[in-house]
Every structure is written in structure tokens, then in C-alpha cells.
Amino acid sequence: MMQGLFWGCLFGGLLFALVTIIFGDIFGDLLGDSFQPMVLVSGITVFGAAGILLTRYTLMNPIVIVILSIVFAIAISIIIYFAYIKPMKNSENSIAYSMQDLVGLTGEVSVAIPAQGYGEVILKVGAGHSNHIASSHSGKELPIETKIFVTKVENGVVSVVSQN
């Protein structure tokens, strides 16, 4: 009787793991961030596998086997959550930024900026670089390769001053 439960949990967990791999993001979005299907699947699968192994290779009482299987399932679920799920959630980041995020950044002039007109600057944004149309905030010409500082953003144009 207990063997059937353990085998059912093992195969059910494996089947659910397969479904979670394919549709995991949908389940995660529907159920929210507090529910992690991978943790549940791991717990169910480990419960079944531990139960099968303990039944087959020990002479323990079935109640003890169930309790130990639950303990193993909880332990593995906690390990998977803290060693895999949580670090992966924390590693997710976006490369998106708003133009207002550019204020305060430093960069370099890539196309000379005349005293009254527009040029172009390269700014380090996140892990990459981004080119932006720029004007001189101080009204002074800024030649190529001048190190600059962004003072404001208006109408998609960054206003810059020389760092020198």
C-alpha cells in the first residue's frame, strides 16, 4: 500500500516536473511569486523516492519511513529554494532604463558638441554603452573624447558639461 503511494509520488513528481519545465512560467505568473512549482515538485519527488528506498532497503516501521520521507522532502525543498530558486530570482535584472536615469552619469563625447547645437555622447548604462544626442549645458564647445557629466535630460537630449 505504501509502495503505491511512494511510486505515485515519484512518478507524479517527475510528470509534474516535466509539465513545470514546459509551462513553469505560466504557473508562476498565475500563482504569484510566493508559490514556486519547482520546490513543490522537488518535495513530492523526493518524498516518493525516499519512501521507495527506505521501504526497500531498511526494516523500519512504515510510519517512521513516512516521517523520514517527509523530512527528506522538506530538507531538499529548502535546499533547492535557497540554492537555486532564490539566487535565480535575484539575478534577474533588466537592461531597460529611462532617460531621466541618465542624469548624473559620466561619459565621453563621440561627435563634437558645438556651443549652440547638438553632438553625441557615449554613456555607460548598466552593462553596456549607449549613444545619445547631446547639447552643451554651459554653452561651450566640447570636442571629441572630452569626458562629460550629464546635468539634465530634456526632450530626449542630454545636457552635458565637461568634467575638466
Side-chain angles (χ1 to χ4, degrees):
M1 161 108 170
M2 293 305 290
Q3 283 281 37
L5 173 68
F6 294 138
W7 281 107
C9 287
L10 178 62
F11 286 120
L14 292 174
L15 179 63
F16 193 54
L18 181 63
V19 170
T20 302
I21 289 170
I22 297 169
F23 301 109
D25 287 337
I26 296 169
F27 289 146
D29 291 342
L30 291 175
L31 300 171
D33 285 340
S34 61
F35 176 75
Q36 295 297 327
M38 172 100 45
V39 174
L40 178 63
V41 168
S42 302
I44 292 169
T45 307
V46 169
F47 172 77
I52 291 167
L53 292 172
L54 290 171
T55 301
R56 185 168 287 178
Y57 297 110
T58 68
L59 298 174
M60 291 182 198
N61 183 326
I63 293 173
V64 174
I65 291 174
V66 169
I67 291 170
L68 283 174
S69 296
I70 290 170
V71 169
F72 287 139
I74 291 170
I76 295 297
S77 295
I78 290 169
I79 290 168
I80 287 175
Y81 180 77
F82 285 107
Y84 179 75
I85 302 291
K86 192 169 182 176
M88 293 304 284
K89 286 284 186 188
N90 292 339
S91 72
E92 292 179 4
N93 59 14
S94 173
I95 58 170
Y97 62 90
S98 78
M99 290 297 285
Q100 294 307 315
D101 293 339
L102 302 177
V103 175
L105 294 181
T106 58
E108 186 175 290
V109 175
S110 58
V111 174
I113 303 171
Q116 301 297 322
Y118 302 100
E120 187 174 283
V121 294
I122 297 175
L123 303 173
K124 185 171 186 331
V125 181
H129 291 84
S130 181
N131 294 10
H132 293 278
I133 297 172
S135 65
S136 173
H137 184 80
S138 62
K140 296 180 182 175
E141 181 178 331
L142 300 172
I144 294 175
E145 296 183 357
T146 301
K147 303 294 181 200
I148 53 88
F149 178 81
V150 178
T151 57
K152 72 177 182 176
V153 178
E154 192 170 52
N155 298 324
V157 176
V158 294
S159 291
V160 299
V161 293
S162 173
Q163 286 185 343
N164 301 338

